[in-house]
Amino acid sequence: MTTPVRAAAGAADAILFPLCTFILSLYTLEHSTSLFITSTARLAQRLHVSETLISLLTAGAEWEELFVVIAALVQHRPRLALGNVLGSCVANILGAFSLGLLVQAQAQQNQNQNQNGITSFDASARLYATVLFTVTTAVVVLWGVGWLWTKVSGALLVLAFAIYVVGVGWSIYRGILDAPEDSDSYGNSDSGSESSSSPDSMPEGVGGGGGGGGGRADANARNDIDESESTALLNRRRQRQHYRCIIWDLGRLLVGFVALSMSGYLLSHSSRLLAARFNISETVFGATLLSFATTLPEKFVAVVSGARGHHGIMVANTVGSNIFLLTLCLGVTILGSASLAESASYAHEIFWVWASSASLTLAILVGSHRLVGVAMLIAYVTFLVLEFVLNRA
């Protein structure tokens, strides 16, 4: 009697453990996303840097995807890694960005919306969307001519990611070096008011005798020195407080980023264990269930940033994630795979990757609407259904 009981208990644990891990990871993901969005916006404001640039290296970095890719390659499962990379690219745009559009369209105080509900994006968002479309088109062209699966192409993709990181880092560095418009407001406003109202600017002898005027001039000079010293001390205190706030926000940002990555990593593994119980193939699992689980951070970031009106974070989350996937993750997959000769089996996923990138670029360049988010979400459901139908046939 003990053997059937143990077998039943083992079967229950095989389902309950990954299910509980999945639910707890979702809970952690929700709270870490709120912390991440708040810290990113505050840090960008304090550094006088565009929140889009900071998000490109934080929210837009698919580190959990890279962990999954490496784990799949170590287990000699390149098709799982490749399916996950391509499926995640589609999920980031059609599944995550669409949700951000839906929530953003409902915001009552969205300054980027006109009376018709059309949401416009800034020049940086349009630039990054164009860069993503260029990278996606280059990958599709390499696939079309049969060069994508070579080691040279993999090395070039990794090199492209390195260039991308250097470019974003340089943009952040230049943004930090650029002084804000009110950087000298503390000293200039005080000095200006003092110079205009200082008694020693009056001609000597006005308002009193020669000896009395000289005494008042000396007293005023001493007062000016004391005020300048107190102003300098106040500015130093404000500067130290400003640096402490930056360090605090940076620490919170790091905690949120680590929590997001860990949550996505745990979600991917728990989803994999659950899918294994239902005997789902690697191709379907990698492009649908696994990519859906690992892109849940992007979906949460898109929803929260869209609801709070942080358009730069929402765009950078999608653009940065796909650039990360199509350069570093795809390059590592190609370099770590012994052979990916069955490239024709991924024609469906590659087509959807390019089509979703084109739709994102068009929505950002022209402007988006709630109906655009609905259309993207319907397209994502269609992609998932076709994945199961085509691969089950």
Side-chain angles (χ1 to χ4, degrees):
M1 295 294 293
T2 57
T3 302
V5 173
R6 290 180 179 179
D13 290 339
I15 296 178
L16 289 178
F17 178 76
L19 181 61
C20 293
T21 305
F22 186 87
I23 295 175
L24 290 176
S25 299
L26 282 177
Y27 178 80
T28 306
L29 194 67
E30 179 181 359
H31 289 274
S32 60
T33 300
S34 179
L35 174 64
F36 182 87
I37 294 296
T38 303
S39 301
T40 300
R42 293 182 60 180
L43 186 62
Q45 182 180 7
R46 295 186 188 279
L47 294 178
H48 305 282
V49 176
S50 172
E51 61 184 15
T52 304
L53 293 175
I54 294 181
S55 300
L56 283 173
L57 292 181
T58 51
E62 293 273 12
W63 300 108
E64 68 277 3
E65 297 284 357
L66 182 61
F67 296 151
V68 173
V69 166
I70 294 176
L73 293 177
V74 170
Q75 299 174 12
H76 305 287
R77 303 172 68 182
R79 297 188 63 182
L80 175 64
L82 184 58
N84 179 40
V85 171
L86 298 179
S88 297
C89 289
V90 179
N92 285 334
I93 298 176
L94 301 182
F97 185 77
S98 60
L99 296 177
L101 290 180
L102 290 176
V103 177
Q104 179 178 283
Q106 297 295 332
Q108 298 297 328
Q109 297 179 352
N110 190 353
Q111 298 179 355
N112 284 21
Q113 287 186 5
N114 57 22
Q115 296 179 354
N116 296 325
I118 303 296
T119 301
S120 59
F121 298 89
D122 57 11
S124 62
R126 293 193 292 268
L127 173 62
Y128 296 130
T130 305
V131 171
L132 173 61
F133 182 71
T134 303
V135 172
T136 306
T137 303
V139 170
V140 173
V141 170
L142 289 175
W143 171 81
V145 298
W147 295 349
L148 182 60
W149 315 117
T150 62
K151 302 299 181 182
V152 176
S153 297
L156 290 177
L157 290 176
V158 175
L159 178 62
F161 174 76
I163 297 174
Y164 161 75
V165 171
V166 171
V168 175
W170 174 248
S171 299
I172 294 177
Y173 180 72
R174 290 186 59 187
I176 295 177
L177 289 182
D178 291 339
E181 294 180 359
D182 58 346
S183 60
D184 297 330
S185 58
Y186 299 139
N188 290 344
S189 60
D190 294 337
S191 62
S193 60
E194 292 168 4
S195 61
S196 60
S197 60
S198 177
D200 62 354
S201 61
M202 300 173 60
E204 185 175 345
V206 177
R216 287 194 298 270
D218 293 338
N220 290 334
R222 287 192 298 270
N223 291 333
D224 291 340
I225 295 176
D226 293 338
E227 290 179 2
S228 62
E229 291 178 352
S230 61
T231 301
L233 180 61
L234 179 61
N235 289 337
R236 286 195 295 269
R237 289 179 178 176
R238 289 178 176 176
Q239 189 175 17
R240 286 195 297 267
Q241 183 180 4
H242 179 69
Y243 288 149
R244 285 196 296 266
C245 292
I246 290 178
I247 295 175
W248 172 252
D249 291 334
L250 187 60
R252 288 166 56 90
L253 178 66
L254 181 60
V255 171
F257 170 67
V258 172
L260 277 174
S261 300
M262 292 178 61
S263 300
Y265 183 73
L266 292 176
L267 279 171
S268 64
H269 277 270
S270 59
S271 299
R272 175 188 169 190
L273 293 176
L274 288 173
R277 297 294 300 174
F278 298 99
N279 297 321
I280 300 177
S281 65
E282 289 187 2
T283 302
V284 177
F285 172 65
T288 56
L289 298 179
L290 183 59
S291 64
F292 179 85
T294 53
T295 55
L296 281 175
E298 284 67 36
K299 295 178 177 64
F300 276 104
V301 170
V303 170
V304 176
S305 58
R308 297 183 180 181
H310 298 299
H311 311 95
I313 296 179
M314 186 177 68
V315 174
N317 171 55
T318 304
V319 173
S321 296
N322 278 24
I323 292 180
F324 189 94
L325 288 167
L326 292 176
T327 54
L328 182 60
C329 291
L330 183 58
V332 170
T333 302
I334 296 173
L335 292 176
S337 303
S339 176
L340 284 172
E342 300 179 2
S343 59
S345 61
Y346 293 95
H348 179 253
E349 290 82 4
I350 290 180
F351 166 77
W352 277 94
V353 169
W354 185 87
S356 60
S357 179
S359 64
L360 173 69
T361 305
L362 184 63
I364 293 179
L365 292 179
V366 178
S368 62
H369 189 269
R370 184 172 183 271
L371 295 178
V372 176
V374 174
M376 285 185 172
L377 198 58
I378 294 176
Y380 182 58
V381 175
T382 304
F383 165 76
L384 295 177
V385 172
L386 289 178
E387 277 293 309
F388 281 97
V389 172
L390 295 179
N391 288 282
R392 288 291 185 183

